[in-house]
Amino acid sequence: MTQSNPCIRCGKERIIAKSWKEQVGKSLLTYTTNICPDPACQKLIDRELKNRNDHLDAIHASSLLRKEENKRNRRKSQSTTQFP
Ligand SMILES: [Zn+2]
């Protein structure tokens, strides 16, 4: 069985750029880095990936901030809750 790994942008079959083995626990795992055969396309993918990572970092940071705010708000509303 051959593994199909088409490029997400152009659909060309991706090629192995790098392959290395790593001992993880008791098993030897083979890692491969696949890239698009079209360098221009791969460059765009790299850029998109970086943008997405930056975006995720931003989301992560803002969600942490929100969590902190929620904590503060909850504490505030707890102290001002009035029972009828
Ligand atoms: Zn491509």
Side-chain angles (χ1 to χ4, degrees):
M1 187 184 137
T2 47
Q3 250 182 322
S4 177
N5 189 9
C7 170
I8 49 167
R9 283 190 68 88
C10 64
K12 279 180 200 157
E13 193 62 31
R14 304 180 90 183
I15 53 169
I16 294 173
K18 210 165 81 176
S19 163
W20 71 100
K21 287 184 165 66
E22 218 173 283
Q23 189 79 36
V24 178
K26 281 178 184 170
S27 46
L28 188 66
L29 297 181
T30 307
Y31 291 92
T32 50
T33 302
N34 296 295
I35 60 163
C36 180
D38 185 348
C41 181
Q42 180 57 37
K43 207 182 251 179
L44 286 171
I45 292 171
D46 280 344
R47 201 189 299 161
E48 263 175 34
L49 217 64
K50 196 192 168 300
N51 283 345
R52 202 178 308 157
N53 283 343
D54 289 350
H55 187 58
L56 284 179
D57 280 350
I59 288 175
H60 187 64
S62 72
S63 83
L64 272 181
L65 209 71
R66 213 173 306 135
K67 224 178 266 174
E68 277 301 306
E69 251 162 45
N70 281 345
K71 226 186 274 172
R72 222 171 297 146
N73 286 343
R74 206 175 302 142
R75 210 173 293 145
K76 206 191 289 168
S77 67
Q78 264 171 0
S79 61
T80 56
T81 301
Q82 288 179 341
F83 296 102

